[in-house]
Every structure is written in structure tokens, then in C-alpha cells.
């Protein structure tokens, strides 16, 4: 029997929950506050080595957002509500939620900080850019709506991936555009990576550069659904993927090129080759998570699923807590947000745990209200 026939069925058979992807998302969720506390509480010089470098550039780099977007794409294909209308509404909801988050983590805390300290440079000068910036929620919403439009015109997963690949190549070509207008840079930055001389523009996760991640996940799901031997599949696919990714990223780290170069836009405005390497890593890590679950007790499956289900609420909560605690409380008390790496790890872990708990009960209350609304 050929290897292909050992791994794949002629029809979809792997339609149950993909627990390895829940584990991947739950690990990302826990690391979020550690990553963002590290960025907020460490100087630029401190981020270039040691634990801060690990969380900012490695864990907070190819191991986080690419995997999150990849898993989002798979989830769109696996959900029972896999319709263009559902995905478009969901995407619009997430897009709007991105603005609400910016109000809660920037506008409100920064206004409080300015009212107490009167520090215009810290709180007011970057406020317009921060409130209107495109973060991963904004990108996720746009990407979900675009995939919904692709589905509406009945494009195959392969055709979606071709379009996303072309978009990524164009995004690489047009990286670093400056239209000499703040609002122009902000809103064009939703699509391609924009920059300005002052370094105030926050063009994170531009659609053209990052669209390939959820699209690849959506196309990958069609393959995953036909897998009848997941262990053999991941051993065959993920092992070489991990090796390729390790070689590529080791070169990037040691030579400080690509996403490992100087400045955060090397990551947020990810170039085409970095994108391909990150996609390779996501496939490799999916296999790693699958193998990890084979040796862990079954209750870990439920814990991972529970955390994974609440990812949006946890993401929202952790950012609000990080901003209030670091940019308001710590800055007002100490006059700086910089902390020792050990303290940052403790603070980030505490915020992660609190955010996961709040996210769990928040979604529990929301779901209860939905059930009550249907029965009344």
C-alpha cells in the first residue's frame, strides 16, 4: 500500500474536534500577557537578548500570531456554521471589537494617565495612532470577511491560497510606504505595511502580508479532513517542516535578517520568505502538539478546549489589564514602565491566569443569556 493510501481516505473522515489545535491556541493564550508585558516593561536595548528576546522575538514572533491565524482558518472550515453569511457577520463583529479594544486599552487608560500626570508625550501624542491602529483583532475580522467573500463567489481553497500568495508578494513589495498623511498611513496600513519618519504609525498585521495564514489554514483543513491516520500524517509532514523551520529561523536569528532584523516592523510587515517559513513552522508545531497530547492525561484535552474556546475574551481582557497595570499604575507610581525580567514573568503569568478566568466566566454568562433569550 502506498504511503498516501495509508494516510488519506478518499472522502472526509477526520471531522471531529482537532485537539492538537486547541492545545496550540491555549498555549498561545497563556503566553499573550507574558509577551506583551515583556514588550511594555522592557527597554529597546533589553529586548535584544535573554528572556525578553525569547518572549518578544521568538515566542511572540513565529510561534504566536502565525499559528493563531492558521488555526483560525482551520476553525472556519471545521465549524458547523461554515457559511459565507456566518463568517462575514463573525468577521464584522471581530473587526468592530478591535476598535472597542483600542478604546478600552488605550483611550480610557491613557486619558486617566494624562489626567493624573499631565504627561502629554507619553499619553496624548501617540493616542490617535493607538486608538485607530490595526491590531490582530482588526486583521482577523478583515481576513474572515474576505474569506467569506471568497466562499460567496465559490472559490476553492486552492484558489483562495493562490490569491493570498499574490497578496503577500505585493505586500512585501510595498512594505514601508509613507503617504505623508497620518490618517492615510493609518488606514492604508490596514492593507499594507506603512511607516512614517516619526515612528508613530502602528501598521500591525497588514492584510496583504498576513492574509495567507488564515487562508492556508482554511485550505489545509480540506486536507486534514481526509486524514485517516493522523500519527503517520504528522510524522510524515511535520517532522521535515520543523527541521526546515529550525534551519531558516536559526539563520535569521544569528544573522539578524528578515523578521529578526531591527525594529518591530520586521515582524509585523513580514516579508514573503518569512511568511513561508512561518507557515512551515505552523504545520510542524501542529504535529508537535498532536504528539504531546498522546502522552498527556485526557483531562488536558478538556482544559485546552476550554481555554481555546474563550480566546477572544481572554485576548481582550489581558490587553486591558496590561494597559491599566503597566501604562497607568506602574508608570504613575514609578515614573517608568521598565521592570526586571523576573518581575515581568510573574506579572505576565498573573495577568494570564486572571484573564483566562475572566474570559471563561464572561463567555459563560454570554452563552447563558443567549440560551435564556431563545427560551423566552
Amino acid at each position: 500500500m502506498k504511503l498516501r493510501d495509508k494516510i488519506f481516505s478518499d472522502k472526509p473522515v477526520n471531522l471531529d474536534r482537532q485537539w492538537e489545535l486547541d492545545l496550540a491556541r491555549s498555549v498561545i493564550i497563556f503566553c499573550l500577557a507574558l509577551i506583551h508585558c515583556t514588550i511594555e516593561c522592557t527597554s529597546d536595548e533589553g529586548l535584544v537578548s535573554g528572556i525578553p528576546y525569547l518572549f518578544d522575538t521568538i515566542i511572540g514572533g513565529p510561534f504566536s500570531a502565525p499559528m493563531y491565524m492558521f488555526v483560525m482558518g482551520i476553525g472556519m472550515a471545521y465549524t458547523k456554521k461554515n457559511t459565507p453569511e456566518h463568517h462575514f457577520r463573525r468577521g464584522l463583529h471581530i473587526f468592530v471589537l478591535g476598535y472597542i479594544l483600542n478604546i478600552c486599552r488605550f483611550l480610557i487608560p491613557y486619558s486617566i494617565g494624562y489626567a493624573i500626570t499631565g504627561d502629554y508625550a507619553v499619553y496624548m501624542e501617540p493616542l490617535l495612532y493607538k486608538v485607530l491602529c490595526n491590531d490582530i483583532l482588526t486583521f482577523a475580522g478583515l481576513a474572515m470577511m474576505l474569506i467569506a467573500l471568497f466562499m460567496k463567489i465559490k472559490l476553492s481553497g486552492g484558489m483562495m491560497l493562490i490569491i493570498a500568495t499574490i497578496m503577500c508578494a505585493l505586500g512585501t513589495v510595498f512594505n514601508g510606504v509613507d503617504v505623508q498623511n497620518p490618517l492615510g498611513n493609518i488606514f492604508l496600513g490596514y492593507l499594507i505595511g506603512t511607516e512614517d519618519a516619526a515612528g508613530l504609525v502602528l501598521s500591525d498585521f497588514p492584510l496583504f502580508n498576513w492574509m495567507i495564514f488564515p487562508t492556508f489554514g482554511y485550505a489545509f483543513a480540506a486536507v486534514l479532513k481526509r486524514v485517516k491516520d493522523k500519527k503517520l500524517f504528522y510524522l510524515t509532514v511535520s517532522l521535515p517542516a520543523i527541521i526546515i523551520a529550525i534551519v531558516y529561523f536559526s539563520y535569521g536569528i544569528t544573522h539578524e535578517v528578515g523578521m529578526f532584523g531591527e525594529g518591530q516592523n520586521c515582524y509585523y510587515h513580514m516579508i514573503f520568505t518569512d511568511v513561508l517559513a512561518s507557515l512551515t513552522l505552523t504545520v510542524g508545531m501542529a504535529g508537535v502538539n498532536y504528539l504531546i497530547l498522546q502522552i498527556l492525561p485526557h483531562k488536558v484535552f478538556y482544559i485546552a478546549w476550554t481555554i481555546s474556546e474563550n480566546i477572544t475574551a481572554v485576548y481582550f481582557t489581558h490587553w486591558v489589564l496590561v494597559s491599566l497595570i503597566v501604562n497607568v499604575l506602574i508608570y504613575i507610581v514609578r515614573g517608568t514602565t521598565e521592570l526586571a525580567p523576573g518581575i515581568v514573568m510573574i506579572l505576565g503569568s498573573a495577568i494570564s491566569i486572571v484573564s483566562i478566568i475572566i474570559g471563561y466566566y464572561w463567555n459563560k454568562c454570554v452563552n447563558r443569556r443567549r440560551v435564556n433569550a431563545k427560551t423566552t
Side-chain angles (χ1 to χ4, degrees):
M1 182 182 292
K2 295 181 179 179
L3 180 62
R4 179 186 180 280
D5 295 329
K6 292 180 180 179
I7 296 175
F8 296 105
S9 171
D10 293 331
K11 59 182 180 179
V13 292
N14 181 29
L15 302 176
D16 295 329
R17 192 165 194 94
Q18 307 304 297
W19 296 102
E20 67 274 16
L21 303 180
D22 284 318
L23 179 60
R25 286 209 299 186
S26 64
V27 172
I28 293 170
I29 291 171
F30 184 82
C31 289
L32 284 174
L34 292 165
I35 294 167
H36 293 134
C37 280
T38 297
I39 295 171
E40 297 293 326
C41 298
T42 308
S43 66
D44 291 341
E45 295 78 13
L47 289 173
V48 299
S49 63
I51 293 176
Y53 183 82
L54 173 65
F55 278 91
D56 174 41
T57 305
I58 309 300
I59 298 175
F63 283 91
S64 55
M67 176 61 80
Y68 170 55
M69 288 293 103
F70 171 69
V71 173
M72 186 188 86
I74 294 177
M76 291 179 67
Y78 264 86
T79 181
K80 295 178 181 178
K81 299 178 181 179
N82 187 16
T83 65
E85 294 77 15
H86 169 76
H87 291 318
F88 192 88
R89 288 193 301 269
R90 176 66 175 159
L92 181 60
H93 170 79
I94 294 174
F95 181 79
V96 173
L97 192 62
Y99 282 112
I100 297 173
L101 173 59
N102 286 348
I103 291 171
C104 293
R105 67 172 169 164
F106 293 131
L107 182 59
I108 295 174
Y110 278 48
S111 297
I112 295 172
Y114 179 67
I116 295 173
T117 67
D119 195 329
Y120 183 87
V122 169
Y123 291 113
M124 291 292 107
E125 186 176 358
L127 191 57
L128 174 67
Y129 295 93
K130 288 182 176 292
V131 172
L132 296 180
C133 77
N134 57 311
D135 190 45
I136 199 165
L137 285 184
T138 316
F139 162 72
L142 287 173
M144 194 171 287
M145 288 189 283
L146 185 55
I147 291 177
L149 292 176
F150 288 161
M151 294 173 63
K152 190 67 176 178
I153 60 177
K154 301 187 184 305
L155 292 183
S156 66
M159 184 56 66
M160 292 183 195
L161 190 55
I162 290 173
I163 294 173
T165 301
I166 295 172
M167 290 174 65
C168 184
L170 290 173
T172 299
V173 171
F174 291 106
N175 266 345
V177 168
D178 182 358
V179 298
Q180 305 296 319
N181 178 275
L183 291 178
N185 280 328
I186 288 170
F187 291 112
L188 181 61
Y190 286 31
L191 303 178
I192 61 175
T194 56
E195 300 180 31
D196 66 355
L200 291 172
V201 177
L202 297 175
S203 175
D204 300 344
F205 306 106
L207 183 68
F208 272 59
N209 300 63
W210 286 79
M211 183 65 195
I212 195 169
F213 289 105
T215 307
F216 179 73
Y218 188 85
F220 185 83
V223 176
L224 194 59
K225 286 180 179 181
R226 295 194 300 109
V227 172
K228 61 182 180 182
D229 188 334
K230 289 181 72 173
K231 183 176 181 179
L232 183 58
F233 170 72
Y234 280 127
L235 286 173
T236 304
V237 174
S238 295
L239 183 59
I242 282 287
I243 294 172
I244 293 171
I246 289 174
V247 172
Y248 181 90
F249 291 129
S250 295
Y251 180 86
I253 292 169
T254 55
H255 291 79
E256 298 182 350
V257 296
M259 72 169 72
F260 303 104
E262 185 177 354
Q264 63 179 7
N265 283 339
C266 290
Y267 173 67
Y268 291 119
H269 302 171
M270 196 180 292
I271 62 175
F272 189 70
T273 51
D274 284 345
V275 167
L276 295 181
S278 296
L279 286 173
T280 304
L281 181 64
T282 60
V283 174
M285 289 306 299
V288 170
N289 283 304
Y290 175 79
L291 294 177
I292 289 174
L293 284 175
Q294 306 313 301
I295 60 176
L296 293 178
H298 196 270
K299 63 181 180 181
V300 174
F301 289 53
Y302 177 75
I303 295 172
W305 169 74
T306 302
I307 297 174
S308 176
E309 282 288 285
N310 304 319
I311 188 168
T312 302
V314 175
Y315 183 84
F316 192 104
T317 303
H318 102 277
W319 252 128
V320 174
L321 291 176
V322 168
S323 186
L324 285 171
I325 294 172
V326 175
N327 295 317
V328 179
L329 181 60
I330 292 177
Y331 182 79
I332 290 174
V333 171
R334 302 182 72 245
T336 178
T337 59
E338 292 184 25
L339 297 172
I343 301 299
V344 173
M345 292 298 101
I346 295 172
L347 177 62
S349 298
I351 291 176
S352 286
I353 293 170
V354 172
S355 299
I356 289 170
I357 294 172
I358 292 175
Y360 171 77
Y361 283 104
W362 175 267
N363 278 350
K364 190 174 183 179
C365 290
V366 170
N367 292 333
R368 185 183 296 119
R369 289 182 180 180
R370 288 175 180 171
V371 171
N372 292 338
K374 290 179 180 179
T375 56
T376 56

